[in-house]
Amino acid sequence: MNTAEIMKELESMGSEGVKKIFINHGAKEPLFGVKVGDLKKIQKKIKKNNSLSLELYKTGNADAMYLAGLIADEKEIQKKDLQSWVKTAASPMISECTVAWIAAESKYGWELAKEWIDSPKESIASSGWSTFSSLLSITTDEQIDSQEILKLLKRVESTIHKSQNRVKYCMNGFVIAVGGFYPKLTEEALKVSQKIGTVNVMTGKTACKVPDAEEYILKMKKMGRLGKKKKEARC
């Protein structure tokens, strides 16, 4: 399949109802409103195709951009491509999921996450924190710098409530990721979650709620899922 054929198929799969939901969650035109499950049907046909992934992302269509992440080849994608992606991500679904997932799976993950969290642009900073969360979910404990993660936890503790809206959401997600995927610092993550307390994030016309980090980590512990890594970040 080429880009034109995929765009035609995406259009046929689109739904006004799904489109409305995505827009309420921050997506911007152009988009068709394709369910993620339907995007995964196309993914199964293509598997990984990095050049096609880059073409789809460049269309600026939100559905195509999400699909681009599903078929991206983390071994082939270049740092300049990821930098372009993060700068042009048009919604949280793309900046905090698509971009963060592929950045984390690539060899540039740690480097870009560190850079992005210092960006004054909300979508880029949120991508950075989400990239760190994804890295924790797929990286073996032996490859994680515990001191670096500890410093980041302290940074969240001291800055979360004065950070930008989506950055707060992703910082909270980072605390959960530390507690859930990196047992060495689970207790520290729980302490930080207790100190930061309720995190208020404006979620627009949605019923979405910010997860309570402490509750979420303890739930993972109760389920025996602490430290269980994922095979890949994207989903």
Side-chain angles (χ1 to χ4, degrees):
M1 298 179 78
N2 59 35
T3 300
E5 291 169 337
I6 291 172
M7 294 304 291
K8 190 173 181 179
E9 185 161 355
L10 290 176
E11 186 173 10
S12 71
M13 290 177 161
S15 155
E16 284 301 318
V18 174
K19 182 176 179 178
K20 184 178 180 181
I21 291 170
F22 286 168
I23 289 175
N24 286 343
H25 281 79
K28 295 180 176 64
E29 296 275 11
L31 74 158
F32 301 123
V34 183
K35 294 178 181 177
V36 173
D38 288 333
L39 293 177
K40 289 186 176 181
K41 291 176 184 176
I42 300 176
Q43 176 195 14
K44 284 183 180 179
K45 296 179 190 176
I46 301 170
K47 301 193 185 319
K48 290 183 181 179
N49 185 321
N50 204 62
S51 59
L52 185 56
S53 167
L54 297 177
E55 287 180 17
L56 287 170
Y57 199 94
K58 284 180 181 177
T59 65
N61 178 287
D63 302 298
M65 293 169 87
Y66 194 93
L67 177 59
L70 293 178
I71 66 169
D73 190 322
E74 74 285 356
K75 293 179 181 177
E76 290 186 21
I77 197 164
Q78 299 299 304
K79 184 164 70 171
K80 64 179 177 61
D81 299 321
L82 291 165
Q83 293 284 30
S84 175
W85 278 22
V86 79
K87 289 173 184 175
T88 55
S91 72
M93 193 172 177
I94 303 301
S95 59
E96 298 167 18
C97 298
T98 300
V99 176
W101 292 340
I102 306 308
E105 290 181 14
S106 78
K107 61 184 178 182
Y108 311 106
W110 294 100
E111 173 189 352
L112 290 176
K114 291 175 195 175
E115 176 187 328
W116 291 346
I117 61 171
D118 288 331
S119 173
K121 187 174 179 181
E122 183 177 8
S123 62
I124 295 179
S126 61
S127 283
W129 287 104
S130 293
T131 300
F132 271 127
S133 295
S134 286
L135 283 162
L136 287 164
S137 76
I138 61 174
T139 307
T140 61
D141 289 352
E142 294 73 25
Q143 294 176 295
I144 296 173
D145 183 341
S146 61
Q147 289 305 307
E148 179 180 11
I149 302 304
L150 188 58
K151 286 179 183 177
L152 290 170
L153 277 176
K154 295 299 183 184
R155 176 169 170 172
V156 171
E157 181 185 329
S158 61
T159 65
I160 188 168
H161 293 298
K162 53 189 176 185
S163 295
Q164 294 162 299
N165 195 57
R166 293 304 305 181
V167 177
K168 287 193 286 186
Y169 187 89
C170 296
M171 281 180 161
N172 188 68
F174 171 76
V175 175
I176 292 172
V178 175
F181 292 113
Y182 191 47
K184 187 173 182 178
L185 290 179
T186 294
E187 289 306 314
E188 192 61 38
L190 283 169
K191 289 177 185 176
V192 170
S193 67
Q194 291 163 2
K195 289 177 181 176
I196 63 178
T198 301
V199 179
N200 295 308
V201 174
M202 292 182 290
T203 56
K205 300 177 182 178
T206 73
C208 295
K209 295 181 180 179
V210 182
D212 180 286
E214 182 183 14
E215 287 182 9
Y216 204 102
I217 295 167
L218 290 175
K219 184 178 179 180
M220 290 179 75
K221 183 177 182 180
K222 187 177 180 181
M223 294 171 66
R225 297 196 59 81
L226 291 185
K228 291 195 174 181
K229 305 288 184 175
K230 297 162 63 177
K231 289 183 179 179
E232 58 182 11
R234 72 188 88 182
C235 62

